[in-house]
Amino acid sequence: LETVEFRDKKGNIIEEPFLRRIYNVDLDHGGRFYTSRGVVQNMSKQDRLSITIGGEPSAEVDIHACHATLAYTLAGEYMDIDPYNFEVKCDINYKAIDDFKKEFNLPEYDPLRNIKKKITLLAFTTDPHKLSFAISKKLGDDKFVQMSKDPEKRQYAEFVGLSFVQVVVGIETMKNHNHKIRHLFNKGCYQNYEGQLMHNVLNYCLQHNLPVIPVHDSVVCQRSKTDMVQDIMNRAFTDTFGDNRNLKLKVTKL
């Protein structure tokens, strides 16, 4: 990566083109890739899409519902549903959501889907006895982001307009909806599986001389190379987990 110049949305050089993996406790837990200070990983998606790579505009190729995709694949099941299409009961302030979307030009912002993703994600990574508290804490932490006077911070809010979320009910409806993989929640380290996949993706990108930066379950690459990156991610997923029948990739660009 040192041979390629990466610039952020302001045109400043991103001076950390090397990657490292961060593990938790041992080599079977964690293992996600980060740039040296996590600058790229901590950017908003919009800011990442403003990166230039070797003078070329970028795009992001990401895995739809990555942890659910991994679980269905490991279970030998076909993911024939949207894993996030379950009911979460809460109060919704539609005006607050519309105002937020207009303020930050986020036409696709959907806080209800965001909380469904968070419930599903945490179910894979959190002790079941602590799960409802972990989700509630995420909702509480997000209130501080929403109340920030700094718009650069406020734009990262995930749950604008949601209150009195019935977390326990949401967890149960999520598990019933994804009943084929219910036995795999909190079984195994999905961040580690994700890291194994990205390790293979990066090896194949090196072999094709493609400069990319992984962002957990996605890859930032030159926009002109998205077709090749998708081919590589399909091949790497098959090599890592046996087949890619559940894999769906999405390309996002400005």
Side-chain angles (χ1 to χ4, degrees):
L1 296 179
E2 288 180 331
T3 63
V4 180
E5 189 175 79
F6 293 83
R7 290 184 179 269
D8 64 19
K9 66 178 181 179
K10 296 180 180 178
N12 298 321
I13 293 176
I14 300 172
E15 296 180 344
E16 49 162 40
F18 63 92
L19 296 169
R20 61 177 175 171
R21 293 180 77 175
I22 296 179
Y23 291 89
N24 305 325
V25 182
D26 57 39
L27 298 180
D28 293 322
H29 294 85
R32 281 177 162 177
F33 286 88
Y34 292 88
T35 44
S36 62
R37 289 176 290 113
V39 169
V40 175
Q41 287 74 24
N42 288 321
M43 286 181 182
S44 69
K45 195 175 189 77
Q46 186 123 351
D47 287 352
R48 287 199 299 271
L49 294 175
S50 299
I51 290 173
T52 58
I53 304 174
E56 290 190 34
S58 65
E60 191 161 349
V61 184
D62 65 88
I63 299 172
H64 169 69
C66 182
H67 286 186
T69 297
L70 292 175
Y72 276 93
T73 301
L74 293 170
E77 298 283 356
Y78 181 59
M79 192 169 71
D80 53 356
I81 58 170
D82 177 350
Y84 305 134
N85 189 25
F86 56 91
E87 183 181 9
V88 174
K89 294 182 178 180
C90 61
D91 291 351
I92 304 176
N93 185 335
Y94 292 100
K95 185 180 184 305
I97 296 171
D98 287 339
D99 289 346
F100 185 80
K101 291 164 73 171
K102 290 174 183 175
E103 181 181 1
F104 295 107
N105 190 27
L106 298 169
E108 297 183 3
Y109 181 79
D110 186 348
L112 195 57
R113 189 166 179 85
N114 288 346
I115 191 60
K116 291 177 183 180
K117 288 182 178 181
K118 193 65 68 176
I119 288 171
T120 307
L121 175 64
L122 289 175
F124 283 111
T125 59
T126 306
D127 185 305
H129 301 293
K130 300 176 182 177
L131 181 55
S132 63
F133 293 102
I135 295 166
S136 294
K137 187 176 188 306
K138 292 289 184 184
L139 287 160
D141 290 344
D142 196 69
K143 290 296 181 185
F144 285 102
V145 179
Q146 294 177 39
M147 293 185 293
S148 172
K149 294 180 180 179
D150 183 356
E152 284 292 319
K153 293 181 180 178
R154 201 166 65 250
Q155 68 176 326
Y156 290 105
E158 294 183 278
F159 314 121
V160 170
L162 303 187
S163 59
F164 297 103
V165 178
Q166 296 185 28
V167 173
V168 175
V169 176
I171 293 169
E172 197 57 30
T173 56
M174 182 278 294
K175 290 184 175 181
N176 289 337
H177 180 66
N178 292 285
H179 61 91
K180 291 181 181 178
I181 57 169
R182 189 181 181 113
H183 61 292
L184 289 179
F185 287 111
N186 196 236
K187 302 294 182 183
C189 182
Y190 287 83
Q191 289 184 359
N192 191 265
Y193 300 149
E194 187 185 272
Q196 293 173 33
L197 169 63
M198 283 301 164
H199 185 91
N200 288 332
V201 169
L202 289 170
N203 272 332
Y204 289 150
C205 285
L206 278 170
Q207 293 171 32
H208 288 82
N209 197 27
L210 289 177
V212 302
I213 293 180
V215 183
H216 308 324
D217 60 356
S218 68
V219 168
V220 178
C221 64
Q222 292 166 318
R223 194 179 300 173
S224 61
K225 301 296 193 296
T226 54
D227 287 347
M228 188 179 295
V229 170
Q230 287 182 86
D231 289 343
I232 285 172
M233 291 178 76
N234 271 291
R235 176 62 183 268
F237 196 95
T238 302
D239 290 350
T240 309
F241 304 111
D243 70 67
N244 66 352
R245 59 181 168 169
N246 291 317
L247 182 65
K248 294 180 181 178
L249 299 173
K250 178 183 178 183
V251 178
T252 310
K253 54 189 175 183
L254 292 179

